[in-house]
Amino acid sequence: MQAFDYIRAQSAEQAVALLSQAGDHARVLAGGTDLLAQLKEGRRKVSLVVDIKFIPELNELCYDPAEGLWLGAAVPCYRIYNNHAVARAYPGLIDAASLIGGVQIQGRASLGGNLCNASPAADSIPALIAHAAICQIAGPAGRRHVPVETFCTGPGRTVLAAGELLVSLHLPPPRPGFGAAYLRFIPRNEMDIAVVGSGASVQLDERGETIVSARVALGAVAPTPLYVQEAGAALVGRSVADAEAAIAEAAGLAQAAARPIDDMRGTVAQRKHLAAVLTRRALRIAVERAKSNLSGAQQ
Amino acid sequence: MSTRKNETMVRARINGEEVAFLCEPRETLLDVLRNDLELTGVKEGCGNGNCGACNVIMDGVLVNSCLVLAVEAEGRSITTVEGLAAPDRLHPLQQSFLEHAALQCGVCTPGFLVAAKSLLDHNPHPTEHEVRYWLAGNLCRCTGYDKIVRAVLDAADKMDGN
Ligand SMILES: Cc1cc2nc3c(=O)[nH]c(=O)nc-3n(C[C@H](O)[C@H](O)[C@H](O)COP(=O)(O)OP(=O)(O)OC[C@H]3O[C@@H](n4cnc5c(N)ncnc54)[C@H](O)[C@@H]3O)c2cc1C
Ligand code: FES
Ligand code: FES
């Protein structure tokens, strides 16, 4: 690997100051499962690596049934899915966190890193969009917040400006009648990159009869993970008893929104087909989870 | 090692012993374990997180040491395959790998042993399905995996009897 300096930052403000001073050649290190592989391949040039995973704020995993989830950007996957309250409240997030790599990767990989690496196929991003996560960013000018669906701007590119750092994600609290799911297609059972991924969430009314709101997002079908607002909108006001027809419509809209490419993992036609199939299945699971959750996610 | 600039002193607990070593930030934990600390049980298969040959347990968490910087080990506790056996006795997993012929060339074996130890630390009674999922990040070109899975399940049973 190329030579660089390494600093363990103690606070977000210190990390921002270091990143601002060093400019283009500084890089944030969370779990390193993307970054170190990239440095070894010489795909990035760095002179300074700022380790952020010892900053308390970036390691916070705090769930309150009334306030929602604060997820520090550097929290590794295993801590997320091993937290029972979080696992119950945010099933779509858990689907994604438990299929990133194998256990060795999940011991290090963070969702902040997954997001900032901005791969079009990153598994956590469609799930975070389904859960309506908000990103908290720290920078030289202070803190700002952006919805996760606007965070990625291209393959490997994000809204983070020079000197900026992703601090945490906030996920709103699930109300009774909320359900979510994330599914991906890969040719084997684990340890592979998504050919297509689909994240979905639904909110039912208190009697579990009507869909009040829904969100759908796709991975690996565009230069960035794709929030398909119209697919969620198609479900609003539809009856749960007749959900299948509404779900089919939403799946069709997801397929229409997909703008995939041909590559070694799949063709345009296969990916478009998968976008519909996975969205249909993810929505069915989300509805089932929502129905079993009518008495509330809170314990 | 070629000339080193920019060296840092790192203190860590490795296989139960306090260790201090000098390293450059760009060196991986795998490099230092093998080249400086002579813990050559840790293997490099792929160097990019895909094969598990370099598995170690860091503060109770299974990680790929090829994707950890040695400087990140500061203040942490690390177990390698050398830390499994007692002075006079193999670890039950090691014994079971021998009895089940769960290795051929053996290059993947330390990684599988460390991964399996981490599994049994977290889940002493795994199902076959759980063993297969937990070991999905470890690759073996020789055995076809089945004997490894049997060896882990059998070791779990035997350790239960202790
Ligand atoms: C074997 C293997 C299997 C994998 N499987 C999957 C998979 O199934 N699905 C999947 O989606 N990914 C997978 N990945 C990719 C990777 O593990 C994930 O993207 C992971 O979530 C990255 O998190 P990290 O903490 O390791 O990030 P790092 O590698 O530490 O960082 C990733 C990038 O984001 C930047 N960054 C990190 N945190 C911040 C922050 N807070 N603010 C600003 N910038 C930041 C870094 O500078 C770097 O550019 C796999 C990787 C490997 C090696
Ligand atoms: S050498 Fe580390 S995972 Fe292959
Ligand atoms: S025994 Fe040869 S790679 Fe596993």
Side-chain angles (χ1 to χ4, degrees):
Chain A
M1 255 191 279
Q2 55 196 298
F4 50 78
D5 291 321
Y6 167 92
I7 300 181
R8 257 187 205 190
Q10 305 299 322
S11 68
E13 284 60 40
Q14 187 201 0
V16 166
L18 288 165
L19 293 170
S20 310
Q21 271 162 25
D24 267 2
H25 286 337
R27 217 54 227 179
V28 167
L29 172 69
T33 58
D34 280 317
L35 182 65
L36 297 185
Q38 292 162 5
L39 293 181
K40 285 182 170 195
E41 287 169 22
R43 276 199 280 150
R44 283 187 190 280
K45 269 204 144 357
V46 297
S47 56
L48 175 66
V49 166
V50 180
D51 193 345
I52 52 152
K53 64 181 162 296
F54 297 90
I55 303 173
E57 204 180 355
L58 275 88
N59 251 314
E60 188 177 41
L61 177 66
C62 176
Y63 171 59
D64 179 315
E67 304 282 336
L69 174 67
W70 279 273
L71 176 61
V75 173
C77 291
Y78 83 96
R79 278 185 56 206
I80 303 171
Y81 61 67
N82 281 341
N83 183 310
H84 296 302
V86 172
R88 193 150 359 134
Y90 300 98
L93 189 70
I94 300 307
D95 288 342
S98 45
L99 55 70
I100 293 180
V103 275
Q104 303 88 338
I105 297 293
Q106 291 156 15
R108 296 262 292 168
S110 64
L111 298 195
N114 197 235
L115 190 52
C116 293
N117 193 59
S119 157
D123 283 308
S124 76
I125 307 178
L128 287 167
I129 296 174
H131 278 290
I134 303 289
C135 310
Q136 185 189 170
I137 298 169
R143 305 260 167 145
R144 64 184 178 113
H145 296 85
V146 303
V148 71
E149 57 267 28
T150 63
F151 190 84
C152 298
T153 55
R157 302 228 307 272
T158 70
V159 296
L160 292 179
E164 281 191 321
L165 172 77
L166 177 66
V167 174
S168 64
L169 294 154
H170 178 251
L171 279 63
R175 288 187 283 136
F178 176 83
Y182 173 76
L183 292 176
R184 71 173 177 188
F185 176 78
I186 55 172
R188 55 185 292 219
N189 281 335
E190 62 282 302
M191 294 287 293
D192 209 342
I193 295 173
V195 179
V196 174
S198 178
S201 68
V202 297
Q203 176 68 55
L204 311 182
D205 68 340
E206 64 274 15
R207 294 211 298 278
E209 289 168 357
T210 309
I211 299 172
V212 175
S213 64
R215 291 170 72 90
V216 171
L218 298 173
V221 297
T224 63
L226 212 58
Y227 174 37
V228 193
Q229 205 166 358
E230 61 274 23
L235 292 157
V236 175
R238 306 292 286 265
S239 98
V240 174
D242 193 25
E244 228 7 77
I247 287 175
E249 239 174 83
L253 289 165
Q255 178 167 38
R259 315 175 249 119
I261 53 166
D262 283 320
D263 68 11
M264 64 190 230
R265 286 180 214 289
T267 61
V268 168
Q270 184 196 15
R271 285 194 158 107
K272 284 203 125 291
H273 176 70
L274 282 169
V277 172
L278 292 177
T279 299
R280 189 159 62 231
R281 291 181 188 166
L283 277 168
R284 281 183 192 145
I285 298 171
V287 168
E288 284 315 307
R289 286 175 173 171
K291 285 201 273 192
S292 67
N293 197 27
L294 280 170
S295 54
Q298 293 93 334
Q299 66 261 319
Chain B
M1 289 271 94
S2 53
T3 50
R4 287 167 155 180
K5 294 178 240 153
N6 197 5
E7 286 193 327
T8 318
M9 173 70 86
V10 175
R11 286 180 194 79
R13 174 175 274 270
I14 298 181
N15 296 328
E17 266 176 61
E18 298 297 337
V19 173
F21 57 84
L22 282 169
C23 70
E24 275 191 83
R26 64 165 159 181
E27 287 180 274
T28 63
L29 179 59
L30 171 66
D31 293 337
V32 168
L33 289 172
R34 284 185 58 84
N35 302 337
D36 299 59
L37 303 174
E38 296 183 357
L39 293 167
T40 52
V42 194
K43 302 298 180 204
E44 175 160 28
C46 63
N48 59 24
N50 277 281
C51 77
C54 64
N55 280 181
V56 302
I57 299 172
M58 184 159 76
D59 286 345
V61 180
L62 184 68
V63 299
N64 294 317
S65 63
C66 70
L67 293 185
V68 177
L69 295 175
V71 285
E72 292 184 71
E74 171 66 39
R76 325 277 296 259
S77 182
I78 288 150
T79 304
T80 70
V81 71
E82 286 87 349
L84 260 55
D88 59 337
R89 195 162 47 100
L90 290 177
H91 186 278
L93 276 163
Q94 293 170 313
Q95 191 61 43
S96 189
F97 268 56
L98 284 177
E99 286 166 12
H100 287 264
L103 63 150
Q104 289 176 33
C105 80
V107 80
C108 68
T109 312
F112 270 101
L113 285 168
V114 170
K117 168 160 194 327
S118 157
L119 168 64
L120 299 186
D121 288 347
H122 289 94
N123 177 2
H125 307 290
T127 63
E128 175 172 343
H129 185 80
E130 287 168 336
V131 173
R132 287 187 184 274
Y133 260 90
W134 190 276
L135 298 179
N138 293 80
L139 299 184
C140 173
R141 295 287 283 158
C142 305
T143 63
Y145 300 100
D146 213 53
K147 291 177 172 180
I148 295 175
V149 174
R150 306 279 149 240
V152 174
L153 287 167
D154 193 32
D157 281 347
K158 290 194 171 131
M159 286 165 74
D160 202 28
N162 285 348

